[in-house]
Amino acid sequence: MTIEIRQVCSPAETKSFDTKELRENYLLKDVFQDGDVTMVYSHLDRTIVGGAVPTDSGLALTSCKQVGSANFLDRREIGIINIGGAGTVTADGEVFEIDALDCLYLPMGIEAVTFASNSAATPARFYFISSPAHHAYKARKITPDDANKLELGSQSDANVRVLRQYIHPDVCDSCQLVMGVTTIAEGSIWNTMPCHTHDRRSEVYLYFDMAKDTRVFHLMGEPTETRHLVVASEQAILSPGWSIHSGAGTGRYSFIWSMAGDNQDFTDMDFAAMDALR
């Protein structure tokens, strides 16, 4: 297991960053490593972003000094979405079959978590988000059919998309974690435009389901001080509450979004007027 630490950056210092500094602070390039569990501990709401790619054998989710408890989930909850081949997640002896785009919510208090793939040739690619927790809710597997499905956007605005809310108050109880998947329709390019901020919670995006040469131009920064990052498939973005988080792709793409912070109200957004963007 490998873990990296990311500190919080203010809008004042961020607007002075060059491209290299923006990428070093906000872009997670190597989320998935074959045969390993990788994690980034972000001080944005103490969110942990990780990937697990089990190949020939299972991989355990273990704690570390940064987590500060004997077991990873002693004081945390976790959301897991598989974007690879079929696999399993075993939590304190209970086995959950997790196919592509299935989600698993695990509450605080679970001691042992193991990731496994059904086939080493087509391994599962488990993406996970973990945030601090205060209560043990029920573990739950959520399929795409179980998720709350929203069809949004219009072709005239090039933002037709399907949004699925997996870990959400209407679907699955959690302490503060909210998580889902958005898929951009063929011929559309924009996500989260018109853009917004929500200072009550931070967000993480994982872009995936992209061709090798496809890129997403992810917009970030304060509405009056926008910046951008060029993102490839299976790379993630840390998005603080003061930052917008929009993007436009050169081809088809999807993204996993997750939020943690003071509230779980999905519609709690502070929209930025188009004529205020700079």
Side-chain angles (χ1 to χ4, degrees):
M1 184 192 78
T2 58
I3 188 166
E4 179 188 352
I5 307 299
R6 294 287 180 99
Q7 299 293 337
V8 174
C9 299
S10 74
E13 63 186 313
T14 297
K15 69 180 182 180
S16 69
F17 286 168
D18 62 19
T19 300
K20 181 174 182 290
E21 290 169 318
L22 281 175
R23 294 174 72 85
E24 287 174 345
N25 283 281
Y26 293 104
L27 178 67
L28 311 184
K29 295 191 296 183
D30 301 312
V31 178
F32 299 98
Q33 297 290 324
D34 287 353
D36 198 6
V37 177
T38 65
M39 291 190 283
V40 172
Y41 186 111
S42 169
H43 284 280
L44 291 173
D45 291 303
R46 299 193 179 273
T47 299
I48 294 178
V49 185
V53 187
T55 50
D56 296 325
S57 59
L59 296 172
L61 180 66
T62 57
S63 190
C64 56
K65 179 181 179 180
Q66 291 77 12
V67 173
S69 59
N71 302 299
F72 187 90
L73 293 178
D74 282 349
R75 296 190 294 271
R76 286 183 161 270
E77 59 187 357
I78 191 171
I80 304 163
I81 294 179
N82 182 12
I83 63 168
T88 60
V89 177
T90 303
D92 284 353
E94 183 175 3
V95 180
F96 296 90
E97 299 283 344
I98 307 296
D99 293 329
L101 296 185
D102 284 349
C103 175
L104 178 64
Y105 171 78
L106 296 177
M108 66 174 284
I110 289 177
E111 295 183 358
V113 178
T114 304
F115 303 100
S117 296
N118 290 5
S119 169
T122 56
R125 301 175 79 79
F126 294 109
Y127 173 72
F128 61 84
I129 295 286
S130 174
S131 57
H134 58 271
H135 179 81
Y137 288 100
K138 184 179 179 180
R140 181 169 176 191
K141 172 184 170 180
I142 308 136
T143 70
D145 290 338
D146 298 327
N148 189 25
K149 180 181 177 183
L150 304 175
E151 297 182 358
L152 304 171
S154 65
Q155 190 57 55
S156 62
D157 292 327
N159 66 357
V160 177
R161 62 204 187 277
V162 174
L163 185 151
R164 286 182 170 85
Q165 298 166 330
Y166 286 86
I167 302 173
H168 180 276
D170 292 339
V171 180
C172 173
D173 289 329
S174 66
C175 293
Q176 61 170 314
L177 182 62
V178 180
M179 194 173 188
V181 176
T182 297
T183 300
I184 308 300
E186 291 284 359
S188 286
I189 63 171
W190 283 103
N191 76 74
T192 325
M193 182 62 75
C195 60
H196 62 265
T197 61
H198 32 65
D199 207 36
R200 278 75 55 197
R201 56 195 181 183
S202 58
E203 191 158 3
V204 182
Y205 273 34
L206 176 83
Y207 289 103
F208 73 105
D209 190 26
M210 296 161 57
K212 180 180 179 181
D213 293 330
T214 296
R215 295 293 183 271
V216 172
F217 286 72
H218 179 92
L219 303 180
M220 61 165 293
E222 294 180 291
T224 55
E225 286 282 353
T226 60
R227 300 291 185 268
H228 77 271
L229 293 166
V230 181
V231 186
S233 190
E234 298 189 356
Q235 293 181 342
I237 297 285
L238 300 173
S239 182
W242 52 263
S243 176
I244 66 169
H245 37 281
S246 292
T250 63
R252 64 164 287 117
Y253 66 98
S254 299
F255 60 95
I256 298 172
W257 46 267
S258 64
M259 291 174 278
D262 280 337
N263 79 64
Q264 296 180 312
D265 182 1
F266 187 82
T267 60
D268 176 23
M269 305 173 190
D270 301 317
F271 284 95
M274 293 297 286
D275 60 3
L277 296 178
R278 297 291 185 269

